[in-house]
Amino acid sequence: MKKSRGILSLILIAAVMVFLGVTSIHGLNSKGMGAARNINLGLDLEGGVSITYEAVGEKPSDEDMKDTVYKLQRRVEEYSTEAQAYQVGDNRISIEIPGVQDANEILEELGQPGSLYFIKHLDSEGNENYTLNAEGTGYELTKTIEELQEDGSIVLTGTEVESASAGALSDSTTSATEYGVDLTLTDEGTKAFAEATEEAYNNGQDSIAIYYDGDLISVPSVNNVIENGRAQITGNMSYEEADNIASTIRIGGLNVELKEISSEVVGAQLGQEAVSTSLLAGAIGLVIVCVFMCFVYLLPGFASSLALLIYTGLILVLLNAFDITLTLPGIAGIILGIGMAVDANVIIFARVKEELTAGASVHSALKAGFHKAMSAIIDGNVTTLIAAAVLWFRGSGTVRGFAQTLALGIVVSMFTALVITRLIIYSFYAVGIRNEKLYAKKLKKRSPIDFLGKRRVFFIISIIMCLSGFVGMGINHARGIGAMNYSLDFVGGTSTTVTFDQQYTLDEIDSEMIPDLEDITGDPNIQVQTVQDTTQVVFKTQTQDLSEREAFAKYMSDNYGVAEKDIEVRNISGTVSSEMRTDAIVAVVIATICMLIYIWFRFKDIRFATSAVIALVHDVLVVLAFYVIARVSVGNTFIACMLTIVGYSINATIVIFDRIREELKLNKKEDLKELVNRCITQTLTRSIYTNLTTFIMVVALYVLGVSSIKEFAAPLMVGIACGAYTSVCITGALWYVMKIRTDKTVAAAALQTDAEGKAEAIKEAEDKAAAGTKNSKAGKKHKKKKRKH
């Protein structure tokens, strides 16, 4: 019976693998639904729509422009988390939305930014400002906006609306669920709205219309005076209708009114070579990891390799299902996720090997391995999921995109490790593959390594590494080269649009022009976009001075016959605004606090949580130091890299702490120092193997990837290596130091152990000295005898 179940399970697994393979390559129908080729790609891989707006009227202030860019960024993120908004020159803003080929459709949906007004029904003389149209299907204005402004009928403008969102509420009479729009006003708007709603309410619950971009989008009646700045628009509307109104109010609530001056479809920023080499790196890395797992863990390693293939297929299908936009760093993140997915399997199989070494049967070892590894796997992944959730809700732009792929990878890796791998390995056992030698090589007895005895050395090394980044910043600043090597994503730069006399492909530009232009501009990370159906190419570089612009124009004239009039140069702001950076920092801080609370709750000891968070901060600071010292470009991939370290670093620490927690319950009388050293030693192989498999994937990316991927992979390699060092040498020692400093009983025992250790060391030294003296005397006597002879 069990054998037939095992065979059926293996057939089911094979069918799932075939289904995922066919779906990923071909798709579920003739249109290729679910196929890898239909995954939403970012601007860097596929291109999209680029729209440029210009401020209406006088030149706006820098503060207003920055605020408008940020709000517009949050609006266009509704199309894609990888959409970008940035300032061009003094009074223009460009938005770029990936995966879209119809600029008119976006313009129609986006509307005219910054043209929202709340209008009284009656003016000061009692005349109607809006009435029902001739068809009776809606309202229309009886005056122009200018006339309404002159006679004081404009209650609010969009700038006085702080936020707008769709929400659900319960009808007080029928208890049925209804949908509406929740509005929050600024302090200035609150006062004006209170006066207007009081006037409308006293005038027989009259209405206040909301006007946007040529239309009255809503004409709600005033049911009561609103004095607290929080209003709600209700009525017989669906959630989609409420969400559309809220979205329209948000886009109309910009500080600056904008008009569209150009729209175009732009090509991918990276050539096909960048994608193909990254995918090749992923394939090679996956093969190496699978071979490694089979070599180290034998049959269970083969089972985990099959689960990894299923993991990869599921990721591709789910990227389609959730419409996640994939960028090149996203591909790198998923490839990295393959390495991280091995982590749970390594924890399980390390436990299985321990059980077999202790004399358990294969079945008992498998059962115990999955059971004992469960808590470490869940705790490690839940802490990372917490980080992903906070980054999604608090972050913006690429941070939210990263949070999506991170959360997806974690959930799928847990599923494949705890369900798929378990199903495969038990199926092998059920069909009769039960030879103990196929499941693990028994562990050799290993004496605990005295990691805690060297803790002072480790702490000093860590402090030096963490401080080196700040010292490097000071030195770089003093040299006048900037504390860090910020890319145009952070500090902005120069956008140069060149109109050639023929079309060039991105690969031709990369091979023929970019090497020379890198020397001219001094920027090793030039971003390039082609404009569809034109001969225009956009080069985005770090800010060019006058001599660099002249050299750029001369190069284009000498080599490609481009006239000066066909070169348009504009300064652009960074795509990562100060608000987005603040969002990212706040998100990381909140995520760290949430992880601290979770670990505290799970381990019932604040010292475990504090040690884990200190280790996490340590890894981030070391990677930061690498960015500073190696002068690696700090751009969008910098945020992704740091967030990866935050998500990944905590896992190894959790495994060690889980083992310490387990051993504390079983061996309460054992000396604490020996217990911690034994736990670190027992999990040492797991720590090395997990980091090694992830390291292999990143090395493959670094060796085969394009420059932007190398800038992502190099710091990650440092972070992974540092994470391995931290988990083994720092976290356990930190917890031990906190434990003996805060627990008097443990401190007394530790002092006694240290005293005994010192006494033993002194006695050993005295014995050696005595033995040395004895040997010396014996040697002298021997020499005297030789002389006599």
Side-chain angles (χ1 to χ4, degrees):
M1 185 71 176
K2 288 184 178 179
K3 187 173 183 178
S4 60
R5 284 182 181 176
I7 293 172
L8 285 173
S9 297
L10 291 176
I11 292 172
L12 177 63
I13 291 294
V16 168
M17 292 180 69
V18 171
F19 171 77
L20 290 174
V22 171
T23 301
S24 299
I25 297 169
H26 181 266
L28 294 172
N29 56 21
S30 58
K31 295 181 180 179
M33 186 179 72
R37 65 179 180 274
N38 289 333
I39 294 173
N40 293 333
L41 300 178
L43 279 166
D44 53 356
L45 301 179
E46 187 181 39
V49 163
S50 175
I51 301 171
T52 302
Y53 290 101
E54 188 172 71
V56 176
E58 297 180 2
K59 176 186 170 184
S61 66
D62 290 341
E63 185 179 343
D64 281 345
M65 283 296 287
K66 287 179 180 178
D67 186 67
T68 303
V69 169
Y70 178 65
K71 288 180 177 177
L72 199 55
Q73 170 72 41
R74 300 309 295 260
R75 172 68 176 93
V76 297
E77 281 172 15
E78 295 177 14
Y79 295 94
S80 167
T81 55
E82 301 300 329
Q84 299 176 347
Y86 55 91
Q87 186 174 338
V88 180
D90 295 328
N91 63 342
R92 291 184 180 181
I93 296 175
S94 281
I95 62 170
E96 294 177 343
I97 304 174
V100 179
Q101 300 297 317
D102 189 346
N104 291 327
E105 179 186 349
I106 295 297
L107 285 168
E108 186 177 335
E109 291 182 13
L110 201 59
Q112 191 69 27
S115 58
L116 182 77
Y117 303 97
F118 286 65
I119 303 170
K120 295 179 182 179
H121 183 203
L122 303 175
D123 62 17
S124 58
E125 297 178 0
N127 300 316
E128 286 189 307
N129 291 319
Y130 51 85
T131 60
L132 278 170
N133 58 27
E135 294 80 15
T137 56
Y139 288 86
E140 61 185 11
L141 289 179
T142 59
K143 304 175 183 178
T144 65
I145 292 296
E146 289 75 16
E147 290 171 336
L148 292 169
Q149 288 172 329
E150 287 177 6
D151 65 24
S153 292
I154 302 293
V155 178
L156 302 172
T157 64
T159 59
E160 291 159 320
V161 178
E162 190 171 293
S163 66
S165 59
L169 64 150
S170 180
D171 187 284
S172 57
T173 306
T174 63
S175 298
T177 300
E178 295 181 349
Y179 298 100
V181 179
D182 296 317
L183 298 177
T184 303
L185 308 178
T186 64
D187 292 340
E188 184 180 349
T190 298
K191 184 179 178 181
F193 201 60
E195 294 174 358
T197 53
E198 183 178 8
E199 180 183 330
Y201 182 74
N202 293 334
N203 194 26
Q205 297 187 354
D206 203 356
S207 60
I208 294 179
I210 303 175
Y211 173 89
Y212 171 72
D213 196 21
D215 292 308
L216 291 167
I217 60 170
S218 182
V219 186
S221 298
V222 178
N223 296 327
N224 49 59
V225 180
I226 300 170
E227 297 178 333
N228 61 358
R230 295 183 178 275
Q232 196 170 58
I233 303 171
T234 59
N236 187 21
M237 65 177 84
S238 65
Y239 177 81
E240 288 73 20
E241 289 171 330
D243 191 48
N244 285 336
I245 293 174
S247 178
T248 299
I249 292 174
R250 287 197 299 272
I251 191 64
L254 300 178
N255 284 14
V256 177
E257 185 171 348
L258 304 171
K259 64 178 180 180
E260 179 256 327
I261 60 172
S262 68
S263 60
E264 56 201 10
V265 177
V266 295
Q269 295 173 346
L270 298 168
Q272 185 60 38
E273 181 186 359
V275 181
S276 58
T277 53
S278 297
L279 294 176
L280 179 61
I284 292 174
L286 181 60
V287 170
I288 293 173
V289 167
C290 289
V291 170
F292 174 82
M293 291 296 290
C294 291
F295 176 77
V296 174
Y297 293 110
L298 307 176
L299 188 64
F302 177 66
S304 70
S305 299
L306 296 178
L308 277 178
L309 294 176
I310 293 175
Y311 165 89
T312 306
L314 282 173
I315 286 289
L316 294 175
V317 170
L318 291 174
L319 284 172
N320 268 295
F322 292 108
D323 284 331
I324 296 175
T325 300
L326 191 61
T327 61
L328 202 55
I331 291 177
I334 289 172
I335 293 172
L336 174 66
I338 296 172
M340 293 173 67
V342 179
D343 184 34
N345 290 315
V346 170
I347 297 172
I348 295 167
F349 300 152
R351 286 288 196 173
V352 171
K353 186 178 286 191
E354 288 175 12
E355 295 295 321
L356 287 173
T357 303
S361 65
V362 172
H363 187 269
S364 298
L366 290 173
K367 186 176 180 180
F370 278 96
H371 176 71
K372 291 184 176 181
M374 183 73 73
S375 60
I377 293 171
I378 290 175
D379 287 340
N381 284 283
V382 167
T383 50
T384 312
L385 268 178
I386 289 171
V390 174
L391 293 172
W392 168 255
F393 286 111
R394 287 289 311 178
S396 57
T398 53
V399 174
R400 298 190 78 195
F402 175 83
Q404 281 182 315
T405 53
L406 177 64
L408 184 65
I410 293 165
V411 172
V412 176
S413 67
M414 283 183 67
F415 172 74
T416 52
L418 298 177
V419 178
I420 303 297
T421 304
R422 186 189 189 107
L423 180 61
I424 295 173
I425 199 71
Y426 274 110
S427 297
F428 284 149
Y429 183 84
V431 298
I433 305 176
R434 301 180 180 183
N435 191 329
E436 187 180 292
K437 293 180 179 179
L438 294 175
Y439 286 86
K441 298 173 185 175
K442 291 188 177 181
L443 293 168
K444 294 179 182 179
K445 193 171 182 180
R446 181 191 299 169
S447 299
I449 302 170
D450 187 16
F451 289 103
L452 298 191
K454 304 176 181 63
R455 62 183 181 273
R456 289 184 178 85
V457 176
F458 294 143
F459 288 166
I460 291 171
I461 292 172
S462 291
I463 291 170
I464 292 172
M465 287 194 297
C466 291
L467 292 179
S468 63
F470 299 104
V471 173
M473 286 182 185
I475 294 172
N476 290 340
H477 183 73
R479 291 170 59 195
I481 58 175
M484 298 181 75
N485 182 23
Y486 292 107
S487 73
L488 61 90
D489 291 328
F490 272 72
V491 296
T494 301
S495 175
T496 307
T497 303
V498 181
T499 303
F500 293 94
D501 58 2
Q502 69 178 73
Q503 283 189 337
Y504 289 94
T505 66
L506 204 55
D507 289 328
E508 288 174 339
I509 296 168
D510 286 340
S511 60
E512 296 175 15
M513 302 182 197
I514 294 303
D516 295 328
L517 292 177
E518 286 178 349
D519 293 335
I520 292 171
T521 62
D523 185 354
N525 300 291
I526 298 175
Q527 296 180 12
V528 183
Q529 286 178 311
T530 57
V531 181
Q532 187 173 313
D533 300 327
T534 73
T535 59
Q536 289 184 333
V537 179
V538 181
F539 298 88
K540 295 178 183 177
T541 65
Q542 293 177 354
T543 303
Q544 298 177 32
D545 57 28
L546 183 59
S547 61
E548 288 171 338
R549 293 186 182 189
E550 289 175 348
F552 189 103
K554 187 175 186 302
Y555 172 81
M556 289 298 172
S557 175
D558 293 346
N559 294 276
Y560 299 96
V562 178
E564 187 175 342
K565 65 179 179 61
D566 292 326
I567 300 176
E568 182 184 4
V569 181
R570 285 188 176 275
N571 289 330
I572 58 175
S573 70
T575 56
V576 182
S577 65
S578 58
E579 291 87 353
M580 289 172 67
R581 272 177 272 181
T582 302
D583 287 345
I585 293 170
V586 170
V588 170
V589 171
I590 294 174
T592 303
I593 294 171
C594 290
M595 286 191 284
L596 179 91
I597 294 170
Y598 176 79
I599 297 170
W600 184 8
F601 170 76
R602 285 287 291 152
F603 286 83
K604 305 295 189 294
D605 187 342
I606 188 64
R607 290 163 293 209
F608 278 122
T610 307
S611 302
V613 170
I614 291 174
L616 186 152
V617 173
H618 168 280
D619 293 343
V620 169
L621 290 178
V622 171
V623 175
L624 179 69
F626 176 76
Y627 270 98
V628 173
I629 295 169
R631 299 294 290 173
V632 177
S633 179
V634 177
N636 272 328
T637 55
F638 169 79
I639 295 177
C641 178
M642 286 303 186
L643 296 178
T644 303
I645 299 301
V646 169
Y648 182 66
S649 173
I650 203 84
N651 281 1
T653 300
I654 291 291
V655 173
I656 293 174
F657 284 171
D658 184 72
R659 182 62 65 96
I660 292 174
R661 175 178 59 179
E662 180 183 323
E663 292 297 324
L664 282 173
K665 293 177 182 177
L666 299 174
N667 302 284
K668 295 182 179 180
K669 294 183 179 180
E670 184 179 359
D671 174 63
L672 187 63
K673 185 176 181 181
E674 291 180 5
L675 184 146
V676 174
N677 278 328
R678 181 164 56 80
C679 289
I680 297 174
T681 305
Q682 287 174 345
T683 56
L684 182 61
T685 302
R686 176 262 160 210
S687 297
I688 293 172
Y689 285 172
T690 300
N691 286 279
L692 182 61
T693 51
T694 311
F695 196 81
I696 288 169
M697 300 299 297
V698 182
V699 167
L701 281 174
Y702 184 82
V703 172
L704 296 174
V706 295
S707 60
S708 58
I709 282 294
K710 289 181 186 291
E711 288 185 350
F712 180 70
L716 265 184
M717 288 192 286
V718 174
I720 292 166
C722 181
Y725 160 78
T726 306
S727 62
V728 172
C729 303
I730 301 297
T731 51
L734 272 175
W735 177 81
Y736 174 77
V737 170
M738 290 182 187
K739 183 79 172 173
I740 63 175
R741 293 282 175 89
T742 56
D743 193 320
K744 293 181 180 179
T745 306
V746 175
L751 286 172
Q752 183 178 350
T753 302
D754 286 344
E756 291 173 356
K758 287 178 182 177
E760 188 176 334
I762 292 170
K763 186 175 184 305
E764 187 177 342
E766 289 175 347
D767 290 343
K768 284 183 180 179
T773 304
K774 188 175 181 181
N775 290 337
S776 177
K777 290 179 180 178
K780 288 178 180 177
K781 288 180 180 179
H782 180 67
K783 286 181 180 178
K784 286 179 179 179
K785 286 181 181 179
K786 284 185 74 175
R787 287 195 202 103
K788 288 179 180 179
H789 181 72

